Amino acid sequence: AASCIQLVTEIYPVAQAARDGFGVYHMAVVSSGPRAMVEQFLVQTNLRHLFQVLVCAEDVTNHKPHPEPFLLAAHKLGLSPETCRAYEDADAGCASVKAAGMYLVDVRKVPGYPNSVVNSVVKSAVNSVVKGPESDAQSKVDQETRI
C-alpha cells in the first residue's frame, strides 16, 4: 500500500470542494482504508488540515455499505445525518451514505473526475461529510450529480 500511496494525487473536484468548505463547514473523511494509509494520503496531498474528523476501517464494526461509518462521522462532528452531504466514489460508499440518510454526491459523475488506474488502486480517496448551505460551486456540482 505504501508504494501505491506515493503515486496517488488528489481527485481535484473533491479536493477543491474540501478547500472551498474549509472554515465554513464541519468536514470529515470516511474511508474503508486503514488510518495510517489515509493519513499518509491526506498529508501527501496537503489536505489533512481541512478535516476535523477521520473515520477509518478500524473505527467501525460494520463497514460500507452499512451506514455506520458515515453515522459515526456525523456523530463525531456533532451533526445530525440529514444535515450532512457526503461525496463518494464507490458503490458501497454510495449505499452507505443513502442508508445513513445523508445527501449524496457521486463524484464519479462530476466533470473532471479521473478514471486513472492509480486512483482505482487506492479507493480511500477523500469522502467528506459537510454541513450547511451549498456554496455556488458545490451547488453546481450537486445539480449535475444529484441522485
Side-chain angles (χ1 to χ4, degrees), residues 38-119:
V38 174
E39 287 271 7
Q40 185 178 354
F41 170 74
L42 292 171
V43 168
Q44 175 187 326
T45 55
N46 197 31
L47 298 170
R48 177 61 185 100
H49 69 283
L50 303 176
F51 301 97
Q52 298 155 299
V53 170
L54 293 182
V55 174
C56 299
E58 54 269 52
D59 297 320
V60 295
T61 303
N62 301 296
H63 301 276
K64 301 172 187 178
H66 194 278
E68 183 182 353
F70 284 97
L71 292 173
L72 180 59
H75 174 76
K76 287 185 170 196
L77 290 170
L79 306 173
S80 60
E82 63 274 3
T83 66
C84 296
R85 179 181 327 135
Y87 295 76
E88 247 306 337
D89 69 342
D91 290 340
C94 290
S96 181
V97 170
K98 288 178 181 180
M102 297 178 178
Y103 178 84
L104 170 64
V105 176
D106 185 338
V107 300
R108 298 170 294 187
K109 298 178 181 180
V110 174
Y113 181 80
N115 291 321
S116 74
V117 173
V118 172
N119 285 321

